[in-house]
Amino acid sequence: MLNKGQSEEELFTFLSRKKREDIDHDFILSSMCTIPHSVAVRAHCMFMETNLGDPGLFPGTYSLERLLIRRFGSLFHCAEAGGYATSGGTESNIQALRLAKVQKSGTRSPNVIVPESAHFSFKKACDILGLEMRRAPVGKDYRMDAEKAASLVDKHTIAIVGVAGTTEYGMVDPIANLAKIAQQHDLFFHVDAAFGGMVIPFLDRPVPFDFALPGVTTIAVDPHKMGMSTIPCGCLLTRDPGLLTTLNIETPYLTVKQEFTLGGTRPGAPVAGALAVLDYLGTEGMRAVVAGCMKNTGRLIAGMETLGFPQAATPDVNVATFVCPEDAVPGPWRVSWTRRKHLRIVCMPHVHAGRIEAFLKDMGELHA
Ligand code: PLP
């Protein structure tokens, strides 16, 4: 702690210098987050001091959270769905498995089946909740093998997880088949659509992945990814509007006497930001954003193949992967690498056509 405070000018000179040390978004090709939409920033600033952890003090902000859940409920074919705004996919996935554990509280040594491609948040969830995590293999197309997943089910299984838009390869697991398997075995079925939930509904030919499939119990979707909200904003949706109350604990000194959330103090600002983007763009606007990202993904894949770097998978959403040596990408570009050592680029809204062409040009010059 400084003994004597700094002047505002000194302080902000220091902060500006630190900000300049961050990587410019122009070169970030590896992230599932993006530059927030201007209406998200404006709404965020309006609601900066709000705390959804004590909703009785912020009834207006709380009603925005309910509205956000309503928007996603209807987008995911269940207008009555319950849910709340989380800090992102990790919290949504932890809470989904927590719900599954409570639903199946009579099960000894419980296990959950997740695809080998699942996000690492499921490892955290299983560690915290004391669940055995069984990994079902993916097929050659990088989608979860539903038959192999079914063969892992036993009397200790409480839940299956499917991913709609995998982190590494942008694939949608066979959610309809998995939903049937979950129903046959009376299992909780969570769909991690943290990334794909804001892409798939806006594609020309969306694959079924949501509450339209009777076996789906819960869905995670992250506005702070393709929803272009400010960070942090995820949402957990439940088909049964009352399901979350099964997690309720007593909260004696707040305006509400019980809460089911994982966090206590929760920011209202990104919730306002997330709703602002949805209501500003509407379905038409989101379709245009997604169409642009998919077009850029296609152009990137075509360009890389011309340069001699074949795609590793044909993605369902805007994540492109390539067979490419790790030293083949010039600085200052920031890309990432999958566990199988494929080059991975996420064509987020800030990765617009001009940036794809600049990247391809630099790759072409390096490998001429
Ligand atoms: N699920 C999927 C499919 C993801 O891609 C991610 C992050 O990239 C997460 C969950 C975790 O989300 P967060 O980092 O917002 O907690």
Side-chain angles (χ1 to χ4, degrees), residues 123-134:
K123 169 85 176 96
K124 297 182 189 177
C126 289
D127 281 354
I128 294 168
L129 295 164
L131 301 171
E132 179 198 345
M133 187 170 81
R134 296 190 171 174

Side-chain angles (χ1 to χ4, degrees), residues 12-189:
F12 278 87
T13 303
F14 168 73
L15 293 179
S16 303
R17 202 169 66 239
K18 285 291 146 194
K19 186 100 200 281
R20 283 196 300 274
E21 287 175 16
D22 289 347
I23 307 299
D24 188 327
H25 266 84
D26 270 357
F27 297 99
I28 299 180
L29 306 183
S30 55
S31 179
M32 287 189 145
C33 290
T34 193
I35 300 171
H37 195 288
S38 56
V39 298
V41 175
R42 187 171 168 192
H44 187 108
C45 292
M46 274 177 76
F47 287 82
M48 202 74 91
E49 71 289 359
T50 60
N51 171 19
L52 285 170
D54 208 353
L57 300 180
F58 302 98
T61 314
Y62 177 63
S63 73
L64 294 181
E65 184 184 26
R66 302 325 312 151
L67 212 46
L68 183 64
I69 296 304
R70 274 234 304 277
R71 295 278 186 273
F72 279 118
S74 58
L75 186 66
F76 296 161
H77 301 102
C78 181
E80 303 307 313
Y84 81 102
T86 66
S87 57
T90 300
E91 179 178 337
S92 301
N93 290 338
I94 293 171
Q95 287 281 83
L97 294 194
R98 189 174 161 216
L99 282 168
K101 191 176 173 187
V102 170
Q103 291 304 293
K104 303 280 180 184
S105 56
T107 309
R108 274 187 310 111
S109 313
N111 69 63
V112 300
I113 297 163
V114 310
E116 170 197 329
S117 55
H119 185 262
F120 49 76
S121 48
F122 288 102
K123 169 85 176 96
K124 297 182 189 177
C126 289
D127 281 354
I128 294 168
L129 295 164
L131 301 171
E132 179 198 345
M133 187 170 81
R134 296 190 171 174
R135 289 174 192 270
V138 296
K140 283 203 181 69
D141 60 0
Y142 294 97
R143 294 192 180 92
M144 187 181 193
D145 184 323
E147 266 180 37
K148 291 199 174 130
S151 72
L152 293 175
V153 174
D154 65 14
K155 65 178 197 307
H156 301 285
T157 305
I158 59 168
I160 300 188
V161 171
V163 185
T166 57
T167 315
E168 289 189 311
Y169 291 92
M171 305 309 295
V172 179
D173 286 331
I175 303 296
N177 286 350
L178 294 166
K180 276 194 202 126
I181 294 166
Q183 276 191 303
Q184 276 159 13
H185 296 275
D186 187 28
L187 298 174
F188 191 104
F189 181 36

Side-chain angles (χ1 to χ4, degrees), residues 1-6 11:
M1 189 79 195
L2 300 177
N3 190 28
K4 190 170 174 327
Q6 286 178 320
L11 177 64

